């Protein structure tokens, strides 16, 4: 059960971390000053959450590694983030579509985790849920603005959805690790999360005058198992550059 | 972050006797240390000077995010990443308050930003220097925010109410950034490897002089200071503030175990201050004119962000209009 739990914590932590890292890339490039502030704010929440999950994972691993070692010392095959969040930012439509699709799933997962039988998880989730409630409201509003804004923004939203929708296949699928943890009352129930996610996406897309695509097809990769797209390697090369270049340094 | 070399458009100071009653009442209010508020009458030159100064200050906050954006994706630990993200977020917030303070004077944020993008408005020259190592994130916090604070602490008493109040809030956050920056350098110097210590010294060597330049031209070459001081927009001279910065920074430099790239820097017992060498004024004016190492990159990055985001802002406006229409119909 401990190995399952460590895997689960890495999945939650790595996904939040990589999403936060992608948001950092927006610094100085956002379409308005208010958005600079909001993107950094959401990113800050997510990297903070990642630190909480990875610290817990490091304690359970009990092999001398810290949360920083986990974030900055593992390679692509050891990262457990969802594929959706490692996709390039693209334009604001792609960024907001990725954010919303993640937020809608994240929100329900955290809501369930607030009742986890593992108190540490429940505590981290309760704090994160407050933050993610705001993330979801914000990204949902952007989906509506861009979907039901101008002809151009609508067209860009259609292209963005087309581009990232296939990665949502992971949001609806659980593996045995998570099924075992869910049965023990520790992890979120995946079917429940998938249904809540689809209901939220359907509601917001409808308000945004955007079609809801049919369910995404499995395509033989799995972030949960460390089988990533080619983008993750570049994210890690950048993010991990200093600790890897100066292995004995103290920052 | 702040403004350097702000034009007042005024050739010579008027005495109270030379002023019309309205202007005289305005000046007497300032002399009595009563804040000027947005609704009060003010001379046009005072208004324009403040718009130039506050917008320059706001632009500096925004352009100041770029050298940090250069490292935020490469911060070496989760703690340092979170600190840098929080600092960047604060700076965007400072930009917002400052633009709001400026708008109380009747200026338009988008128009003033466009002036920066076409080279008519300035931002602090320090951000035209590249950040070449992680130590620069510490040195920028310590030296650049440190220099900005010396200036801004005085600006908390500036005569224009909305600007003064924005400064109170900004100063609190920047003092925090400065301590954090210094702490980063201290950690590298006291617990780090030789490579890290070299990185810190190299960073100080590159950023020391540009930080001293942040206080603007020397008093004898500061043609706009007299009017700005009479209006109490500015409260102390460039050279006084620069001296204060040097005096408070040198002991911190020594505690780090680093040196400044200035052979003339030494304590002067008689003056009770540190003496320091002459700034390379040619470099200062060239960087201000747009010929610094990163002027082009900084401005084009900002311009590009605003231009490529136009469709996003248009969509937000169109959506808001549709929603309003729906509410009106209902």
């Amino acid at each position: 059960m401990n190995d399952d739990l460590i895997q689960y914590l890495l999945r939650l932590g790595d996904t939040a971390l990589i999403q936060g890292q992608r948001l950092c890339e927006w610094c100085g490039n956002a379409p308005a000053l208010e958005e600079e502030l909001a993107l950094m704010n959401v990113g800050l929440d997510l990297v903070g959450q990642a630190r909480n999950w990875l610290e817990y994972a490091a304690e359970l691993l009990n092999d001398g590694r810290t949360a920083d070692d986990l974030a900055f010392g593992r390679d692509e095959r050891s990262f457990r983030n969802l594929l959706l969040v490692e996709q390039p930012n693209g334009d604001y439509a792609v960024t907001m579509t990725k954010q919303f699709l993640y937020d809608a799933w994240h929100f329900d997962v955290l809501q369930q985790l607030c009742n986890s039988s593992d108190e540490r998880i429940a505590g981290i989730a309760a704090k994160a849920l407050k933050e993610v409630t705001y993330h979801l409201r914000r990204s949902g509003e952007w989906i509506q603005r861009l979907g039901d804004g101008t002809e151009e923004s609508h067209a860009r939203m259609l292209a963005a959805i087309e581009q990232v929708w296939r990665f949502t296949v992971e949001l609806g699928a659980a593996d045995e690790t998570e099924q075992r943890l869910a049965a023990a009352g520790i992890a979120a129930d995946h079917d429940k999360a998938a249904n809540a996610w689809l209901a939220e996406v359907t509601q917001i897309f409808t308000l945004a005058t955007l079609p809801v695509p049919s369910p995404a097809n499995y395509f033989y990769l799995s972030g949960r198992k460390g089988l990533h797209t080619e983008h993750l390697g570049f994210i890690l090369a950048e993010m991990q550059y200093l600790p890897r270049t100066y292995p004995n340094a103290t920052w | 972050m702040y403004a350097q070399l702000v034009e007042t458009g005024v050739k010579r100071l008027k005495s109270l006797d030379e002023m019309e009653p309205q202007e005289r009442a305005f000046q007497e209010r300032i002399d009595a240390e009563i804040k000027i508020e947005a609704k009060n009458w003010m001379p046009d030159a005072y208004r324009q000077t403040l718009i130039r100064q506050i917008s320059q200050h706001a632009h500096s906050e925004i352009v100041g995010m770029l050298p940090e954006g250069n490292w935020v994706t490469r911060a070496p630990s989760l703690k340092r990443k979170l600190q840098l993200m929080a600092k960047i977020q604060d700076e965007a917030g400072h930009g917002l308050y400052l633009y709001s303070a400026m708008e109380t004077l009747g200026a338009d944020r988008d128009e003033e930003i466009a002036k920066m993008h076409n080279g008519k408005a300035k931002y602090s020259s320090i951000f035209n220097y590249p950040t070449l190592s992680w130590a620069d994130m510490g040195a920028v916090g310590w030296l650049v925010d440190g220099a900005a604070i010396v200036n801004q602490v005085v600006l908390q008493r500036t005569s224009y109410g909305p600007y003064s109040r924005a400064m109170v809030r900004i100063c609190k956050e920047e003092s925090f950034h400065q301590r954090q920056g210094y702490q980063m350098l201290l950690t590298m110097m006291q617990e780090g490897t030789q490579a890290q210590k070299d990185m810190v010294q190299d960073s100080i060597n590159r950023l020391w002089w540009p930080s001293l330049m942040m206080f603007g031209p020397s008093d004898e070459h500061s043609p706009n200071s007299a009017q700005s001081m009479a209006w109490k927009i500015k409260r102390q001279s460039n050279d006084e503030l620069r001296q204060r910065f040097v005096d408070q920074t040198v002991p911190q430099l020594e505690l780090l175990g680093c040196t400044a790239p200035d052979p003339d820097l030494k304590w002067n017992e008689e003056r009770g201050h540190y003496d320091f060498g002459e700034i390379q004024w040619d470099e200062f004016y060239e960087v201000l004119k747009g010929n610094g190492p990163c002027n082009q990159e900084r401005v084009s990055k900002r311009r590009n962000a605003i231009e490529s985001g136009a469709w996003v802002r248009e969509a937000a406006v169109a959506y808001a209009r549709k929603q309003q229409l729906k509410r009106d119909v209902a």
Side-chain angles (χ1 to χ4, degrees):
Chain A
M1 194 58 89
N2 222 28
D3 286 349
D4 283 350
L5 184 51
I6 291 166
Q7 283 302 310
Y8 191 59
L9 293 169
L10 291 175
R11 291 170 184 183
L12 290 167
D14 290 347
T15 301
L17 179 61
I18 299 300
Q19 177 68 8
Q21 175 73 4
R22 281 293 192 205
L23 291 174
C24 285
E25 293 174 13
W26 270 102
C27 179
N29 298 308
L33 190 46
E34 287 79 358
E35 292 305 296
E36 291 285 353
L37 198 121
L39 291 165
M40 207 44 79
N41 183 269
V42 171
L44 189 62
D45 289 343
L46 292 172
V47 176
Q49 292 170 20
R51 180 164 70 167
N52 292 335
W53 297 126
L54 294 180
E55 273 171 359
Y56 189 20
E59 283 172 34
L60 295 176
L61 275 166
N62 197 25
D63 59 4
R65 281 187 291 174
T66 62
D68 277 338
D69 294 330
L70 293 176
F72 297 96
R74 284 175 301 146
D75 61 13
E76 293 95 306
R77 297 284 282 109
S78 309
F79 260 71
R80 294 286 178 262
N81 61 281
L82 295 172
L83 301 172
L84 175 69
V85 300
E86 71 195 36
Q87 299 313 304
N89 283 336
D91 64 10
Y92 219 55
V94 174
T95 290
M96 278 305 159
T97 303
K98 283 196 301 167
Q99 183 76 47
F100 171 68
L101 294 174
Y102 169 53
D103 290 343
W105 173 85
H106 198 194
F107 177 79
D108 188 75
V109 167
L110 289 174
Q111 251 185 341
Q112 292 191 48
L113 291 182
C114 286
N115 300 316
S116 170
S117 59
D118 181 309
E119 279 180 24
R120 179 84 172 264
I121 288 182
I124 297 172
K127 183 173 176 291
L129 181 63
K130 286 185 195 143
E131 297 166 344
V132 173
T133 303
Y134 159 73
H135 302 176
L136 175 60
R137 195 177 72 212
R138 179 182 127 74
S139 61
E141 284 170 1
W142 270 110
I143 296 301
Q144 294 174 66
R145 281 188 202 110
L146 298 179
D148 192 19
T150 60
E151 237 173 83
E152 180 182 3
S153 70
H154 185 80
R156 283 177 186 259
M157 276 303 299
L158 293 177
I161 294 167
E162 160 103 22
Q163 196 182 320
V164 303
W165 185 259
R166 65 195 189 109
F167 299 105
T168 63
V169 69
E170 282 193 296
L171 302 178
D175 62 0
E176 287 173 1
T177 302
E178 291 188 26
Q179 281 164 353
R180 279 193 298 268
L181 286 170
I186 296 171
D189 177 312
H190 243 279
D191 288 340
K192 214 172 142 203
N195 288 336
W197 173 81
L198 188 61
E200 176 73 22
V201 170
T202 303
Q203 189 202 345
I204 296 293
F205 275 20
T206 306
L207 286 169
T209 70
L210 295 164
V212 181
S214 45
N217 293 320
Y218 176 68
F219 61 101
Y220 309 100
L221 291 181
S222 166
R224 287 194 179 90
K225 293 198 170 2
L227 281 169
H228 291 274
T229 59
E230 291 173 344
H231 303 293
L232 183 65
F234 288 91
I235 297 177
L236 297 186
E238 184 172 356
M239 187 175 84
Q240 299 177 337
Y241 143 73
L242 280 170
R244 285 189 183 275
T245 309
Y246 303 96
N248 301 313
T250 306
W251 305 100
Chain B
M1 321 307 123
Y2 80 115
Q4 299 160 311
L5 244 188
V6 179
E7 292 284 332
T8 57
V10 174
K11 298 264 183 296
R12 166 185 91 75
L13 280 186
K14 278 190 214 167
S15 68
L16 280 176
D17 297 339
E18 291 173 283
M19 294 176 184
E20 296 295 321
Q22 219 171 12
E23 185 172 358
R24 190 175 164 146
F26 163 84
Q27 188 63 50
E28 282 169 349
R29 191 181 160 107
I30 286 181
D31 294 343
E33 297 289 336
I34 301 169
K35 297 279 178 243
I36 305 298
E37 298 298 335
K39 284 179 181 157
N40 298 142
W41 182 89
M42 61 187 86
D44 195 50
Y46 174 86
R47 184 185 299 277
Q48 296 310 325
T49 301
L50 270 169
I51 291 173
R52 271 192 291 271
Q53 173 155 343
I54 302 173
S55 67
Q56 236 189 77
H57 196 154
H59 302 333
S60 300
E61 296 284 354
I62 304 311
V63 177
M65 292 162 61
L66 302 180
E68 291 169 338
N70 182 41
W71 281 97
V72 70
T73 55
R74 293 179 288 169
S77 68
L78 293 168
K79 174 178 150 185
R80 295 300 181 203
K81 193 188 240 350
L82 289 164
Q83 284 177 346
L84 190 57
M85 292 173 84
K87 181 171 193 256
I88 293 169
Q89 189 193 335
D90 285 347
E91 279 154 3
H94 297 171
L96 280 175
Y97 320 142
L98 285 163
Y99 284 123
S100 304
M102 181 199 76
E103 287 187 319
T104 63
L105 292 157
D108 178 76
R109 175 169 129 185
D110 293 344
E111 281 173 24
E112 297 305 316
I113 289 174
K115 285 183 195 164
M116 188 222 334
H117 293 174
N118 64 31
K120 284 191 188 126
K122 297 184 182 70
Y123 51 86
S124 184
S125 58
I126 187 81
F127 303 119
N128 291 317
Y129 291 84
T131 48
L132 300 177
S133 76
W134 173 254
D136 288 9
M137 292 301 98
V140 164
W142 172 47
L143 294 173
V144 175
D145 286 67
I149 292 164
V150 167
N151 196 58
Q152 289 172 172
V153 161
V154 189
L155 283 176
Q156 295 181 96
R157 293 189 295 119
T158 196
S159 60
Y160 187 57
Y163 191 26
S164 142
R165 290 187 288 273
M167 277 304 115
V168 173
R169 187 159 170 190
I170 289 175
C171 275
K172 277 188 204 149
E173 293 182 348
E174 295 216 333
S175 306
F176 183 69
H177 298 161
Q178 192 203 12
R179 279 200 301 278
Q180 225 163 40
Y182 188 68
Q183 202 58 46
M184 273 168 59
L185 297 181
L186 208 55
T187 304
M188 290 171 76
M189 290 305 295
Q190 294 183 344
E191 298 164 47
T193 60
Q194 191 56 44
Q196 287 182 288
K197 292 176 188 175
D198 294 346
M199 207 186 270
V200 173
Q201 182 61 59
D202 171 66
S203 176
I204 293 170
N205 291 349
R206 283 181 289 107
L207 291 169
W208 180 262
W209 288 110
S211 301
L212 296 192
M213 292 177 195
M214 286 177 68
F215 295 91
S218 63
D219 292 349
E220 53 180 322
H221 294 107
S222 199
N224 302 298
S225 284
Q227 181 63 71
S228 274
M229 298 270 251
W231 280 334
K232 297 190 181 175
I233 291 176
K234 204 165 162 165
R235 309 283 323 221
Q236 275 182 309
S237 82
N238 295 352
D239 286 336
E240 281 172 326
L241 294 171
R242 187 164 16 240
Q243 182 71 59
R244 180 175 307 159
F245 174 69
V246 171
D247 289 348
Q248 75 181 38
T249 304
V250 173
Q252 297 166 4
L253 181 72
E254 286 167 356
L255 184 66
L256 277 178
C258 292
T259 57
D262 179 359
D264 298 322
L265 183 72
K266 58 175 180 297
W267 178 251
N268 182 326
E269 193 62 51
E270 210 170 300
R271 291 203 308 125
H273 290 292
Y274 282 93
D275 289 337
F276 54 96
E278 189 66 16
I279 286 172
Q280 297 291 315
W281 292 111
D282 290 351
E283 178 179 327
F284 170 75
Y285 288 109
E286 281 303 310
V287 174
L288 221 54
K289 258 198 287 182
N291 301 323
C294 297
N295 296 60
Q296 233 178 326
E297 287 88 339
R298 300 296 189 232
V299 173
S300 70
K301 181 146 184 170
R302 287 310 308 152
R303 195 192 297 124
N304 187 45
I306 295 305
E307 284 172 4
S308 61
W311 70 271
V312 177
R313 298 189 303 277
E314 282 158 17
V317 170
Y319 176 78
R321 206 174 287 141
K322 285 184 197 174
Q323 294 301 305
Q324 185 61 45
L325 215 61
K326 277 186 201 162
R327 276 194 295 272
D328 290 349
V329 170

